[in-house]
Amino acid sequence: MSDAELTVTLDGPVATVVIHNPARRNAMTPAMWRQLPVLLDGLEADPAVRVLVLTGAGGTFCAGADLGDLDELLAAGDGSIAVAAEERLAAFGRPTVAAIEGACVGGGCQLAVACDLRLAAADARFGVPPARLGLVYPAPTTRRLAALVGPSAAKHLLFTSELVDAQRALRIGLVDEVLPAGELAGRVAALTATVAERSRLTVTAAKEIVDGRADADRLAWWHAQVRDSGEAREGVAAINERRPPRFGWTPPAV
């Protein structure tokens, strides 16, 4: 294994992407930012993958982005490789869960916010540091953060660059659950197993609609999928027969 890379493991329908850069507390290097969209493309093309987990190795989620080439970063602005990776993660066609331990700062927070759900260990710490660095946080990233936690909480994080603990992150909506030490992995496994068992049609449509990516034509298409797939009839039959549903819908090939 390289000292700084993203690794992927598959466990049934759940794919886990691990951020691994122990020398820099799992900071994302330029190569890692470029690697992430490639990994996501491959996982999205795999019909067996139902849920994606993003986490960090060694008890740390991600301490930020490698700022070694500052001139390149300043020249890129909102066109940076970090923003491209974030946008690809946000658009991933399956549910995504960030499993967060330790530091989740800067680029790490950027990636966590791009996931659909965020579960944190009690030791997790969150921060958005551009005001300490004299940088302008990318507009897509800023809007995504504000949509998640609200304008006031987003401004507090951005204006102060202060670290907040897991309980405060929970109160402002930055994370969805906080788990005691040692219980995060088990809860993530249970949650992803539940999501993987649900109707893929329902879950995929819900993600598109909540994220504002379904126009009127797309909504009509989704309702046609419900009518034509038999998914709803199977769900009702399973309830009436007191058995687990056997959902079979898969996204049509593009």
Side-chain angles (χ1 to χ4, degrees):
M1 180 185 292
S2 167
D3 285 342
E5 67 175 354
L6 304 175
T7 62
V8 178
T9 60
L10 297 174
D11 184 7
V14 180
T16 300
V17 175
V18 180
I19 304 168
H20 186 273
N21 185 4
R24 300 290 302 277
R25 293 196 302 155
N26 295 339
M28 291 284 289
T29 66
M32 293 164 76
W33 286 117
R34 293 187 179 95
Q35 184 187 4
L36 182 58
V38 176
L39 290 181
L40 295 176
D41 287 347
L43 292 171
E44 193 167 74
D46 184 348
V49 173
R50 303 286 294 268
V51 188
L52 175 76
V53 175
L54 179 67
T55 193
T60 296
F61 185 74
C62 174
D66 188 331
L67 301 176
D69 194 341
L70 185 59
D71 288 340
E72 180 182 345
L73 176 68
L74 296 176
D78 283 0
S80 72
I81 54 176
V83 173
E86 173 195 358
E87 292 294 286
R88 181 64 187 89
L89 178 60
F92 189 73
R94 319 285 162 73
T96 55
V97 180
I100 304 163
E101 297 178 284
C104 180
V105 179
C109 198
Q110 186 175 354
L111 290 172
V113 170
C115 290
D116 297 312
L117 301 172
R118 284 150 298 280
L119 274 61
D123 71 343
R125 297 292 183 271
F126 302 83
V128 184
R132 286 197 290 109
L133 302 170
L135 299 172
V136 174
Y137 213 39
T141 309
T142 301
R143 295 187 186 108
R144 185 168 287 116
L145 176 66
L148 181 64
V149 303
S152 182
K155 289 174 182 176
H156 184 275
L157 291 168
L158 288 160
F159 291 175
T160 67
S161 296
E162 291 177 348
L163 291 178
V164 301
D165 64 19
Q167 288 299 328
R168 180 163 183 178
L170 182 64
R171 288 196 299 273
I172 65 176
L174 186 57
V175 299
D176 301 292
E177 298 182 29
V178 174
L179 287 303
E183 295 184 17
L184 178 63
R187 174 58 183 144
V188 170
L191 175 65
T192 54
T194 296
V195 173
E197 291 173 354
R198 300 305 188 225
S199 165
R200 184 181 290 191
L201 190 159
T202 300
V203 170
T204 308
K207 176 166 178 167
E208 282 193 12
I209 294 166
V210 171
D211 290 348
R213 294 185 286 112
D215 60 14
D217 289 342
R218 185 65 169 176
L219 290 172
W221 184 86
W222 279 119
H223 289 299
Q225 291 291 301
V226 173
R227 292 192 301 271
D228 298 342
S229 66
E231 201 86 336
R233 285 186 287 274
E234 167 58 20
V236 172
I239 290 174
N240 291 336
E241 297 167 15
R242 299 179 182 276
R243 60 169 174 80
R246 295 184 289 269
F247 294 124
W249 182 88
T250 57
V254 177

